[in-house]
Amino acid sequence: MTILYLIRHAESVANADNLLAGRIDYPLSPTGKGDAAAIAEEFAAAIKVDLIWCSPLLRAQQTAAPFLVACNAPLRLDQRLQEQHMGRFSGKSYADVERDTSYCHDRTARWDWVPEGGGESYRMIAARVDSFLADLRTQCEREHLNSVLIVTHAVTLRLFRACLEATLPRYPESIAGNGEVWRAELTPAGTPSTIATLDLAHGARAHRA
């Protein structure tokens, strides 16, 4: 069975400034760049991956870059791995949205909440994550891939976890920290997978989402 390793991008400029990044293309912060390099080195010393899938957003690609070298694995981009589109809340500070009554403050109630201004609900994210996983299952079987690394974002990972653990429409309230890496088996659709967090020295800088 194929093993998945899923990582949230390292600290971005938006994370450092407590902003909701959404689809805005913020780069990694200097701390994030250093963390990404250190995590990649530690990860590659213990784990081999056959392929790296990555969100096309800059902060994810900058996180993936040192893994390409350390793991000597090819990179492929997929739009379905992008972060949640936050509509008019994109780029706003957490302080600003906490005062906004139209923002959904309850993290457990965002399944059908669509952020104003062309945003994306958790249901929509789950649909693209489920589509990606379906295609990945086919690819792994066809190409005989033993392990795959996926570089993505906080909210997208929240829905990855729900899809892999087969809990939808329920999803976890907590999120992965910046640079946090999970390990999961790519089980058949609807079959729950067990997810474990890897103990890496430079991972898991916590930020809200």
Side-chain angles (χ1 to χ4, degrees), residues 147-180:
S147 57
V148 174
L149 175 66
I150 298 170
V151 186
T152 184
H153 306 266
V155 176
T156 308
L157 271 175
R158 181 180 269 155
L159 276 303
F160 257 105
R161 183 159 203 138
C163 287
L164 288 168
E165 292 181 335
T167 64
L168 291 173
R170 291 183 297 107
Y171 53 85
E173 183 175 352
S174 62
I175 59 166
N178 290 117
E180 185 171 329

Side-chain angles (χ1 to χ4, degrees), residues 93-164:
S93 70
Y94 283 98
D96 284 342
V97 300
E98 284 169 5
R99 293 189 293 266
D100 194 322
T101 56
S102 63
Y103 183 79
C104 182
H105 301 282
D106 184 355
R107 291 180 177 85
T108 67
R110 295 176 180 171
W111 181 246
D112 284 315
W113 173 64
V114 180
E116 296 173 1
E120 185 181 27
S121 71
Y122 277 21
R123 182 192 292 271
M124 296 173 185
I125 302 168
R128 59 177 165 86
V129 167
D130 187 61
S131 170
F132 173 83
L133 287 171
D135 288 348
L136 184 61
R137 290 184 182 97
T138 300
Q139 179 192 25
C140 289
E141 183 175 354
R142 182 179 65 246
E143 300 180 17
H144 306 290
L145 302 178
N146 293 314
S147 57
V148 174
L149 175 66
I150 298 170
V151 186
T152 184
H153 306 266
V155 176
T156 308
L157 271 175
R158 181 180 269 155
L159 276 303
F160 257 105
R161 183 159 203 138
C163 287
L164 288 168

Side-chain angles (χ1 to χ4, degrees), residues 2 11 16 20 24 28 32 38-39 41 79 87 96 110-111 117 127 140 148 154 172 189 192:
T2 302
E11 183 188 77
L20 279 76
I24 298 177
L28 293 185
I39 294 166
E41 182 178 355
Q79 298 287 335
D96 284 342
R110 295 176 180 171
W111 181 246
C140 289
V148 174

